[in-house]
Amino acid sequence: MKISTARFGALDIDENKVIAMPEGMLGFDEKRFVLLTPPNLGPFCWLQAVDNPDLAFVVVDTKNCIPDYTLRLTAEEFEKLQLAENGEAIFLAIVTMSSDPFAITVNLQGPIVLNPERMIAKQIVLEGGKYSTKYPFFRPDGAAATPAKQESCANTVPQVAGTL
């Protein structure tokens, strides 16, 4: 299928790579997205709306921020994501980019949980303050948050990502 994007122009995307978000992202009406992995973007991907060329979010696999990042889904969330009992889930965090790399932050309090088998995702808002909405991606000493663990987004979510 063809989609239009403001950043990458017209793209031919495999329909099997479209992610359904029945409840959308907080504050947005769009319900269908694709995950794009441009070359040389390091650990980051673009979560591009299929039906709105101007709407895209930079995202990163939460494993690149906190290797043991976990969250507990409710039974309702588990059902909405159609996750099997031992099914795989991918946790993505929205990135706030900055021209100053040390000001780049990720929202670990509102992750996007993706069932890669069913291509269904849901943004979850965590309560309790365990994770921040502005978690620094780079440490103040100049090192990446978890340099040994950072991988290209294309490597961490290959089964769901479309390439450019």
Side-chain angles (χ1 to χ4, degrees):
M1 74 186 282
K2 295 244 186 244
I3 67 169
S4 295
T5 71
R7 287 169 186 79
F8 308 111
L11 299 174
D12 193 15
I13 299 293
D14 180 349
E15 288 188 42
N16 294 324
K17 303 280 185 180
V18 174
I19 299 166
M21 292 187 74
E23 297 175 18
M25 300 281 291
L26 292 174
F28 298 93
D29 295 328
E30 287 74 8
K31 309 281 191 233
R32 300 185 315 150
F33 292 85
V34 291
L35 201 55
L36 302 173
T37 56
N40 303 321
L41 198 59
F44 305 109
C45 296
W46 284 96
L47 185 65
Q48 171 69 54
V50 170
D51 303 307
N52 181 349
D54 296 320
L55 183 63
F57 302 92
V58 176
V59 296
V60 66
D61 188 324
T62 59
K63 289 184 287 189
N64 284 317
C65 304
I66 298 177
D68 60 348
Y69 181 87
T70 59
L71 60 101
R72 182 176 297 251
L73 298 174
T74 65
E76 180 182 349
E77 292 163 342
F78 209 82
E79 184 177 318
K80 285 182 178 180
L81 289 164
Q82 300 180 19
L83 281 167
E85 189 170 320
N86 294 318
E88 177 188 7
I90 295 172
F91 303 111
L92 300 171
I94 297 173
V95 179
T96 300
M97 299 300 279
S98 172
S99 58
D100 176 2
F102 299 107
I104 296 173
T105 60
V106 294
N107 180 354
L108 295 176
Q109 192 174 9
I112 300 163
V113 182
L114 169 64
N115 175 347
E117 186 176 313
R118 306 289 291 181
M119 297 300 283
I120 297 174
K122 177 175 177 36
Q123 186 174 23
I124 308 288
V125 178
L126 303 175
E127 296 179 8
K130 181 177 179 183
Y131 297 112
S132 168
T133 59
K134 297 184 186 236
Y135 183 85
F137 190 73
F138 292 99
R139 295 188 316 225
D141 63 3
T146 55
K149 300 290 183 186
Q150 285 189 346
E151 294 183 50
S152 165
C153 195
N155 293 335
T156 60
V157 292
Q159 70 272 38
V160 295
T163 56
L164 296 175

